[in-house]
Amino acid sequence: MSATTTGYTVTRELDAPVAEVWDAWTLRERFAQWFGAPLPSVELDVRPGGAWRSTLVAPEGNEYPLTGTYPVVEPRRRLVTAMDIPGQDEPALMDMVLEELDGGRRTRLVIRQECRTAEECAEAEQGTLILLGSLTEFLAGER
């Protein structure tokens, strides 16, 4: 982390193989099921420099259009997602690393993100924790 930013790291061990976790993040039909975005709003061009968009629908019904790119794509190992933030010159970068556990039956997922302020970081981390809870439930239902 640089002196002008703050960040967070979240580690989660998931009861699913790396391939299932990767597919949940990169296949639009699966992504829509756990992310809270209606399928018609989800577009994922998962390749270096590819674009993505979705509209997150919060439990209270508010809609949040999201857009960005994929600066780094290392299939089934690492995915860096850049999210466009209104009013900011630079996108927010979320770095996700996947690691096989237990002979490939489980996955360690590590997410890191830098933020401009402690407040932004707290919001981003809370959002990540909510999404990881939803992802965990989705993966459990895949079994």
Side-chain angles (χ1 to χ4, degrees), residues 110-130:
V110 179
I111 294 178
R112 292 181 180 89
Q113 185 171 347
E114 289 190 13
C115 307
R116 294 183 314 156
T117 67
E119 293 79 21
E120 285 177 12
C121 194
E123 273 186 34
E125 183 175 13
Q126 182 62 31
T128 296
L129 292 172
I130 291 167

Side-chain angles (χ1 to χ4, degrees), residues 83-119:
M83 184 169 62
D84 300 322
I85 306 293
Q88 291 186 17
D89 294 335
E90 297 293 320
L93 297 177
M94 184 183 76
D95 191 343
M96 177 180 77
V97 175
L98 303 168
E99 178 187 346
E100 284 188 357
L101 299 174
D102 298 333
R105 292 185 306 274
R106 301 179 71 235
T107 302
R108 177 177 292 125
L109 172 66
V110 179
I111 294 178
R112 292 181 180 89
Q113 185 171 347
E114 289 190 13
C115 307
R116 294 183 314 156
T117 67
E119 293 79 21

Side-chain angles (χ1 to χ4, degrees), residues 16-139:
V18 165
E20 286 182 25
V21 177
W22 181 262
D23 287 352
W25 280 94
T26 62
L27 298 177
R28 71 186 287 265
E29 296 80 10
R30 291 178 182 237
F31 182 86
Q33 290 177 352
W34 67 268
F35 192 78
L39 190 56
S41 80
V42 177
E43 292 180 17
L44 307 176
D45 182 9
V46 185
R47 61 183 172 86
W52 64 272
R53 76 168 185 86
S54 66
T55 300
L56 179 66
V57 179
E60 69 278 359
N62 293 338
E63 294 186 3
Y64 302 95
L66 305 171
T67 61
T69 61
Y70 297 106
V72 178
V73 178
E74 298 174 21
R76 298 183 178 180
R77 186 183 169 284
R78 183 173 178 223
L79 184 66
V80 177
T81 304
M83 184 169 62
D84 300 322
I85 306 293
Q88 291 186 17
D89 294 335
E90 297 293 320
L93 297 177
M94 184 183 76
D95 191 343
M96 177 180 77
V97 175
L98 303 168
E99 178 187 346
E100 284 188 357
L101 299 174
D102 298 333
R105 292 185 306 274
R106 301 179 71 235
T107 302
R108 177 177 292 125
L109 172 66
V110 179
I111 294 178
R112 292 181 180 89
Q113 185 171 347
E114 289 190 13
C115 307
R116 294 183 314 156
T117 67
E119 293 79 21
E120 285 177 12
C121 194
E123 273 186 34
E125 183 175 13
Q126 182 62 31
T128 296
L129 292 172
I130 291 167
L131 289 174
L132 287 178
S134 180
L135 175 64
T136 300
E137 289 178 19
F138 170 74
L139 292 168

